[in-house]
C-alpha cells in the first residue's frame, strides 16, 4: 500500500535520492533543497511504501499576470517516482492529492511544464490557449495550467513566473 502525506524532516535525504534516481541528475534535487531553504509556503508531498519514500511532488509559489492584475498560485514540479515503481499509479496519486490540498487552500491555479500525455488527465490544459506564457523557452504543449478558481483568472494573461530558485538563484527573493 502507498500512503501520501506531507513531507517531514526525516524524509529530506530520501526525497533527494528519489529525485536523483528519477531524473538521473541532481539539478532537480538541488532546486528542491533551495526552495525548502527559502520558502515557507511550499506544498511538498511524499509517497511512502514499506516505510520508504518512493515518490515526491513539490508545489511552489507562481505568479501570473502583469501591471494592474497579478494573481498568486502554485507551480507543480519537480515530481519524481522511483524508477522501479513508475507506471503503477504513484505519480497520479501524488498529483491528485496535491490538487485536492491546493483546492482546500483556495489556490486559484496550478501551472507546470511537463509531459503533455500525462497531465491533461487531471484537468491541465494548454496555458498558451489562455494567453499565458512560460518564462522559459519550452514546447507550447508542455506548458499547462489547471484553473481552480475561474473568476480569479478573468482577464489575466501574460508571463507566468516561477520562483527564482528554478533559474539557479539559490538565495531566492524572500
Ligand atoms: C513522470 C513520473 C513522475 C510519473 O510517475 P508514475 O508513477 O510513473 O505515473 P503514473 O503511474 O501515475 O502514470 C503513468 C503515466 O505517466 C506518464 N509517464 C511515465 N513515465 C513517462 C516518461 N518517461 N515519459 C513520458 N511520460 C511518462 C505516462 O503518461 C504514463 O501514462 P500511461 O502509463 O497511461 O502511458 C515518473 O515517471 C518519473 O519520475 N519520471 C522521471 C522524472 C520526470 O520526468 N518527472 C516529471 C517531470 S514533468
Amino acid at each position: 500500500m502507498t500512503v501520501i502525506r506531507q513531507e517531514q524532516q526525516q524524509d529530506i535525504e530520501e526525497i533527494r535520492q528519489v529525485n536523483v534516481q528519477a531524473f538521473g541528475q541532481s539539478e532537480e534535487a538541488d532546486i528542491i533543497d533551495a526552495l525548502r531553504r527559502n520558502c515557507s509556503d511550499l506544498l511538498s508531498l511524499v509517497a511512502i511504501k514499506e516505510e520508504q519514500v518512493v515518490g515526491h511532488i513539490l508545489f511552489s509559489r507562481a505568479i501570473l499576470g502583469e501591471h494592474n492584475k497579478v494573481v498568486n498560485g502554485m507551480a507543480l514540479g519537480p515530481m519524481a517516482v522511483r524508477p522501479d515503481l513508475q507506471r503503477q499509479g504513484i505519480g497520479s496519486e501524488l498529483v491528485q492529492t496535491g490538487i485536492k490540498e491546493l483546492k482546500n487552500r483556495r489556490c486559484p491555479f496550478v501551472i507546470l511544464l511537463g509531459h503533455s500525455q500525462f497531465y491533461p488527465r487531471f484537468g491541465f490544459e494548454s496555458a498558451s490557449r489562455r494567453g499565458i506564457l512560460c518564462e522559459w523557452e519550452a514546447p507550447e504543449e508542455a506548458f499547462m495550467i489547471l484553473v481552480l478558481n475561474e473568476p480569479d483568472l478573468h482577464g489575466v494573461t501574460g508571463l507566468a513566473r516561477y520562483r527564482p530558485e528554478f533559474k539557479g538563484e539559490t538565495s531566492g527573493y524572500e
Side-chain angles (χ1 to χ4, degrees):
M1 201 185 84
T2 310
V3 172
I4 311 289
R5 63 159 171 76
Q6 300 229 12
E7 166 193 307
Q8 294 171 3
Q9 181 69 28
Q10 74 266 18
D11 303 324
I12 289 175
E13 187 46 43
E14 282 182 83
I15 290 173
R16 245 198 105 73
Q17 283 169 22
V18 167
N19 276 276
V20 171
Q21 286 169 6
F23 287 100
Q25 57 178 34
S26 61
E27 195 179 328
E28 290 76 11
D30 293 342
I31 291 170
I32 293 166
D33 287 345
L35 286 165
R36 196 185 283 113
R37 271 197 304 277
N38 298 336
C39 306
S40 54
D41 54 2
L42 301 176
L43 174 60
S44 180
L45 300 175
V46 286
I48 304 286
K49 203 178 170 77
E50 290 161 11
E51 294 178 27
Q52 286 190 320
V53 175
V54 295
H56 173 250
I57 192 167
L58 189 70
F59 298 86
S60 59
R61 183 65 64 94
I63 303 169
L64 273 192
E66 279 151 13
H67 310 302
N68 48 355
K69 182 129 197 213
V70 169
V71 187
N72 282 301
M74 294 295 250
L76 184 163
M79 139 145 142
V81 170
R82 216 172 72 187
D84 59 312
L85 294 171
Q86 288 175 8
R87 291 202 138 104
Q88 295 178 25
I90 296 172
S92 297
E93 272 193 71
L94 284 164
V95 175
Q96 283 160 340
T97 308
I99 291 171
K100 201 168 151 206
E101 174 59 24
L102 291 178
K103 275 187 190 157
N104 289 340
R105 293 184 186 187
R106 309 232 179 283
C107 173
F109 69 86
V110 184
I111 54 166
L112 67 82
L113 198 51
H115 305 303
S116 58
Q117 300 298 310
F118 183 49
Y119 296 99
R121 66 189 75 176
F122 309 107
F124 285 88
E125 56 176 313
S126 158
S128 69
R129 251 181 256 141
R130 286 178 167 263
I132 293 165
L133 306 172
C134 187
E135 63 181 307
W136 305 305
E137 220 171 283
E140 201 180 303
E141 70 280 5
F143 188 55
M144 289 170 262
I145 187 164
L146 173 67
V147 178
L148 299 175
N149 188 1
E150 195 66 58
D152 279 357
L153 263 73
H154 186 71
V156 175
T157 55
L159 215 56
R161 279 158 289 159
Y162 278 73
R163 288 279 318 178
E165 290 80 358
F166 284 92
K167 287 179 264 178
E169 294 170 27
T170 52
S171 59
Y173 51 57
E174 276 182 352

